[in-house]
């Protein structure tokens, strides 16, 4: 009897998964993590969300012969500062196979495809192995397209893969969800058998092991990143984080300005910057665990379409617990600290934002 078979029959696979989830809780209790009720509760919820995503990614949708698109980030699963303007579609792939993606372009402002070597469960990285934007593709007049994924070059629309490519990520970025339509996407493996094999002991045991490693590794990655960026609070910077952003799955066409905000109840963070010529930009707030805040009910992010620019074309953002009528208000949503991120996408320049903490009373007087 194989080891995996013994572990599944005897229940050790499941027991190890559950014990590992319990151990992952030590990340939430780290000394460098905030211990308020809200921050602690969101930390425990984070682990429950990662557990759900880990099982989807490593067990439910893990067959590279029968890939399907699923959302690795949505309104309730938020891994490492996901863009609230994005619709994320992920699919499991393997570098020794070839795939066909087809559908309609839609009208989203930005559409990109990327193959990744997903090592979140190993070392917290997600290396890029191929990138392609919709504007670089051949698309029919009615919006239909076909895209081939493979390690060997292909004619037409081709997205490169590497031997260790394991994930396809599609980013659809909306400027205005009320008027834009999402792309229609389908994926198939070109060498798949006629039907999936029954669930085996090896697949279940390995899936649970990888799902647990994803929870533990990703939680540690997020906690480490938050602690790192928090060393320089209330500032936005790109240079220190460029390489790290790419290692965790960032889009190379995007310039990311990371930061960590921390405010007292009577304070606000004023951010001022020039705005480059680019098809899309946005700014967002997150909690300590780098989950984007509640964009469904509060104004916790802003993009090019919604922003009010100053007469000289510059941008002023105000992070605070209340709107005092200065600049573009970004609601801190009952939080006292957390991550923040500014993205310039396809920009001709990358201006450095200027950040300073100000008293709300002073801003109230200024707004009169």
């Amino acid at each position: 009897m194989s080891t995996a078979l013994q572990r599944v029959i005897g229940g050790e696979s499941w027991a190890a998964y559950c014990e590992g989830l319990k151990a992952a809780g030590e990340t939430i209790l780290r000394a460098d993590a905030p211990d308020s009720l809200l921050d602690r509760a969101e930390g425990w919820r984070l682990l429950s969300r990662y557990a759900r995503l880990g099982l989807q990614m490593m067990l439910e949708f893990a067959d590279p012969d029968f890939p399907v698109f699923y959302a690795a980030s949505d309104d309730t699963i938020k891994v490492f500062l996901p863009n609230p303007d994005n619709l994320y579609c992920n699919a499991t792939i393997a570098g020794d196979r070839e795939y066909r993606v087809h559908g309609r372009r839609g009208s989203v402002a930005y559409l990109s495809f990327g193959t990744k070597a997903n090592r979140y469960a190993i070392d917290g990285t997600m290396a890029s192995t191929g990138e392609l934007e919709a504007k670089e593709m051949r698309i029919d007049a009615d919006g239909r397209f076909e895209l081939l994924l493979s390690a060997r070059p292909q004619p037409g629309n081709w997205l490169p893969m590497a031997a260790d490519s394991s994930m396809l990520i599609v980013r659809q970025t909306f400027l205005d969800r009320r008027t834009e339509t999402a792309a229609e996407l389908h994926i198939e493996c070109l060498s798949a058998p006629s039907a999936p094999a029954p669930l085996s002991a090896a697949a279940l045991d390995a899936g649970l092991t990888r799902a647990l490693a994803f929870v533990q590794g990703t939680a540690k990655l997020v906690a480490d990143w938050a602690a790192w960026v928090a060393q320089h609070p209330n500032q936005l910077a790109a240079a220190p984080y460029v390489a790290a952003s790419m290692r965790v799955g960032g889009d190379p066409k995007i310039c990311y300005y990371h930061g960590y905000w921390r405010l007292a109840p009577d304070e606000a963070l004023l951010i001022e910057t020039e705005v480059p010529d680019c098809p899309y930009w946005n700014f967002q707030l997150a909690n300590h665990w780098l989950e984007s805040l509640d964009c469904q009910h509060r104004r916790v992010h802003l993009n090019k379409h919604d922003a009010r620019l100053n007469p000289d074309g510059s941008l002023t953002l105000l992070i605070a617990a209340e709107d005092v009528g200065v600049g573009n208000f970004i609601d801190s949503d009952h939080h006292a600290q957390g991550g923040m991120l500014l993205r310039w996408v396809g920009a001709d320049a990358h201006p450095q934002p200027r950040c300073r903490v100000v008293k709300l009373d002073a801003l109230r007087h200024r707004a009169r």
Side-chain angles (χ1 to χ4, degrees):
M1 184 180 294
S2 71
T3 301
L5 184 58
Q6 291 174 332
R7 285 169 54 82
V8 170
I9 293 295
E12 287 86 357
S13 296
W14 180 251
Y17 174 76
C18 294
E19 287 299 315
L21 287 183
K22 180 180 179 181
E26 293 303 315
T27 299
I28 311 304
L29 300 174
R30 285 171 47 151
D32 57 8
D35 59 0
S36 73
L37 173 59
L38 181 58
D39 291 304
R40 190 59 57 82
E42 288 181 335
W44 300 126
R45 185 182 64 184
L46 179 91
L47 294 183
S48 74
R49 289 173 165 179
Y50 284 4
R52 175 157 48 102
L53 176 56
L55 292 172
Q56 288 183 332
M57 187 183 298
M58 305 299 181
L59 195 60
E60 298 293 350
F61 303 124
D63 189 344
D65 285 328
F66 295 91
V68 295
F69 283 114
Y70 66 94
S73 287
D74 57 23
D75 291 340
T76 61
I77 299 178
K78 305 176 181 183
V79 182
F80 205 97
L81 288 158
N83 186 345
D85 290 326
N86 274 9
L87 173 61
Y88 293 93
C89 298
N90 298 62
T92 297
I93 57 176
D96 61 352
R97 295 162 173 79
E98 297 185 351
Y99 299 88
R100 172 177 175 258
V101 175
H102 62 98
R104 287 181 181 269
R105 164 67 175 83
S107 62
V108 290
Y110 180 75
L111 173 64
S112 71
F113 301 82
T115 58
K116 308 288 183 180
N118 182 4
R119 305 176 188 132
Y120 264 38
I122 301 172
D123 60 6
T125 65
M126 187 180 293
S128 173
T129 57
E131 303 288 341
L132 187 66
E133 279 188 59
K135 69 179 183 181
E136 302 168 326
M137 296 168 54
R138 299 176 189 170
I139 300 176
D140 294 345
D142 64 354
R144 295 184 183 277
F145 70 89
E146 181 178 281
L147 171 63
L148 296 178
L149 285 63
S150 63
R152 62 187 181 95
Q154 303 280 358
N157 298 323
W158 171 56
L159 180 60
M161 295 170 55
D164 61 347
S165 294
S166 57
M167 178 182 288
L168 169 64
I169 298 180
V170 184
R171 289 180 171 91
Q172 302 188 55
T173 304
F174 294 79
L175 281 173
D176 185 356
R177 289 182 183 267
R178 296 166 296 184
T179 61
E180 297 169 3
T181 57
E184 174 189 316
L185 301 170
H186 308 277
I187 184 171
E188 61 178 324
C189 177
L190 298 180
S191 58
S194 59
L199 181 62
S200 66
L204 178 67
D205 186 59
L208 288 174
T209 299
R210 289 193 296 265
L212 174 60
F214 170 81
V215 175
Q216 294 176 331
T218 309
K220 182 179 184 303
L221 168 69
V222 164
D224 287 346
W225 184 284
W228 179 32
V229 180
Q231 294 175 19
H232 305 283
N234 300 319
Q235 297 295 323
L236 285 166
Y241 312 116
V242 171
S245 294
M246 294 303 103
R247 286 198 301 271
V248 295
D251 186 331
K253 303 292 179 65
I254 302 175
C255 180
Y256 298 93
Y257 281 78
H258 284 274
Y260 191 94
W261 62 280
R262 182 182 292 124
L263 297 170
D266 65 340
E267 293 178 333
L269 179 61
L270 193 67
I271 302 174
E272 298 169 305
T273 182
E274 290 70 39
V275 179
D277 183 18
C278 59
Y280 169 83
W281 63 261
N282 89 328
F283 175 85
Q284 70 178 94
L285 279 193
N287 63 15
H288 173 79
W289 307 106
L290 306 186
E291 296 181 296
S292 49
L293 299 183
D294 182 9
C295 63
Q296 299 298 312
H297 304 98
R298 294 179 179 275
R299 190 177 188 181
V300 296
H301 83 295
L302 188 73
N303 68 26
K304 176 180 179 179
H305 178 267
D306 298 323
R308 299 189 318 275
L309 299 182
N310 300 320
D312 63 356
S314 65
L315 172 71
T316 300
L317 302 171
L318 185 75
I319 301 169
E322 62 177 286
D323 187 355
V324 294
V326 174
N328 294 271
F329 172 59
I330 305 294
D331 193 342
S332 57
D333 190 15
H334 303 289
H335 292 73
Q337 68 273 309
M340 57 181 174
L341 180 59
L342 173 67
R343 298 172 176 87
W344 306 129
V345 181
D348 62 353
H350 303 140
Q352 172 63 49
R354 301 173 297 279
C355 306
R356 56 193 173 99
V357 175
V358 294
K359 292 294 185 181
L360 281 172
D361 280 346
L363 293 174
R364 292 189 187 98
H365 290 299
R366 170 177 164 178
R368 289 176 183 171

